[in-house]
Amino acid sequence: MAPQDAILGWDEDSNAEAYNAFTRDHPMYDATSRDLARRSRLADASLVVDLCGGAGATARAILDLIPARARVVSVDNAAAMQRVGRRTLTDARLTWITSPAERIADHLHADSADAVVCNSAIWKTDTAAVFAAVAHILRPGGHFVFNIGGGFAGVRHPDELSARTGPSLNALIRQVAAEAHGYTPPRDADRPLKLPLEAVTEQLTAAGLTVLGTEVTAQHSTMAEKKAWLSIPVFARPEGDFTHAQRMQILDTAYAMTPPDAPTVTSWLVVVAQRPKAAT
């Protein structure tokens, strides 16, 4: 299942608290955060930027890998998310900056960051502007590591197909909404890909960054975890003119049609880029 393109709503306390509860109770964001942090080569880092860092799930993974003397700056434009993060993550090496990702170069010196990490969010930004800002703050040789939801990048891991034994929870939600409310879902085939690898590569190159590698990964989960994720107001479905209470009722009905431990798989495109080192 590709994540919903949830751009608005993150600066609302209800979403921030629900998101934080999900990251505490379920492994999804922790697993993707640790994967990106591991790829960022942080053993000798002095400064790492957690871009679109939200309540700090990725910052926590970065803090586990950096040296004791290093610093992490978590950047997000949603003050509500950062309020939760400040309350729950109190490591003295972590600093919070409330800012759009596109404006990060306004807050950090040029050539100052050893790595920039962005988990589960890059498609919600003006990527060309973000890539240019990241290139400005990265030191030569510094790494930029991020992931893109498979539905936005147009990729699917083989495990996503082989693990499916019945309708996805999203499909059941659309079915219930159609039967109970006359809902007509949008045609996914009519939607252009939001961020395919070709476009990503072009924009990174234009910003002066080099793609070192890409990988399509699979995140294994269950219907129970997927239901919990879809219960966060900003992710609740279906799209359209529904109240949150109606969406939760539809979700409960759809979920009752599936085994809670049924496997689900989410695909991700992981990109590792670098600011080239200066010629000697």
Side-chain angles (χ1 to χ4, degrees):
M1 180 188 77
Q4 184 176 353
D5 193 4
I7 297 176
L8 303 177
W10 291 108
D11 206 16
E12 298 173 6
D13 289 334
S14 58
N15 280 312
E17 294 291 349
Y19 171 87
N20 187 61
F22 177 88
T23 61
R24 182 182 62 243
D25 297 337
H26 299 279
M28 185 175 91
Y29 285 105
D30 181 66
T32 51
S33 294
R34 292 187 181 282
D35 175 54
L36 297 184
R38 176 183 59 80
R39 296 171 186 265
S40 301
R41 304 179 187 180
L42 303 180
D44 297 319
S46 296
L47 175 65
V48 182
V49 177
D50 174 21
L51 198 62
C52 305
T58 303
R60 184 179 295 108
I62 294 169
L63 288 163
D64 286 344
L65 294 180
I66 60 172
R69 59 175 170 73
R71 296 187 300 121
V72 178
V73 176
S74 186
V75 180
D76 200 280
N77 66 351
M81 294 287 283
Q82 293 193 328
R83 282 195 296 270
V84 172
R86 291 172 187 271
R87 187 183 74 229
T88 58
L89 190 57
T90 57
D91 194 303
R93 297 173 294 169
L94 176 60
T95 301
W96 304 85
I97 293 178
T98 306
S99 169
E102 295 84 353
R103 302 294 299 274
I104 185 56
D106 294 347
H107 302 277
L108 293 172
H109 295 300
D111 306 342
S112 61
D114 297 286
V116 177
V117 183
C118 184
N119 183 22
S120 307
I122 198 70
W123 60 88
K124 302 170 189 175
T125 71
D126 178 346
T127 48
V130 168
F131 294 168
V134 168
H136 182 76
I137 65 170
L138 272 180
R139 64 167 177 79
H143 290 85
F144 179 30
V145 184
F146 58 95
N147 55 14
I148 306 169
F152 300 134
V155 298
R156 300 182 78 180
H157 192 279
D159 287 0
E160 185 178 352
L161 299 174
S162 62
R164 182 164 296 173
T165 57
S168 68
L169 191 52
N170 278 343
L172 291 171
I173 286 170
R174 291 192 292 267
Q175 176 185 320
V176 171
E179 293 173 352
H181 299 277
Y183 172 70
T184 302
R187 287 174 49 87
D188 291 339
D190 295 338
R191 296 180 177 181
L193 289 177
K194 190 173 182 75
L195 204 55
L197 179 58
E198 181 180 4
V200 171
T201 301
E202 289 178 358
Q203 292 180 10
L204 288 169
T205 301
L209 298 169
T210 301
V211 176
L212 296 183
T214 65
E215 183 180 357
V216 178
T217 64
Q219 184 177 37
H220 295 258
S221 184
T222 64
M223 284 290 185
E225 183 176 16
K226 195 66 68 177
K227 178 179 184 290
W229 185 74
L230 289 167
S231 297
I232 301 172
V234 75
F235 291 131
R237 303 184 183 191
E239 301 173 3
D241 190 19
F242 293 92
T243 67
H244 184 64
Q246 287 175 320
R247 290 190 174 98
M248 292 302 96
Q249 184 180 39
I250 292 168
L251 175 60
D252 287 341
T253 303
Y255 180 67
M257 302 164 67
T258 71
D261 59 351
T264 65
V265 177
T266 301
S267 298
W268 293 92
L269 174 64
V270 180
V271 180
V272 179
Q274 183 182 44
R275 180 180 171 189
K277 295 180 180 180
T280 57

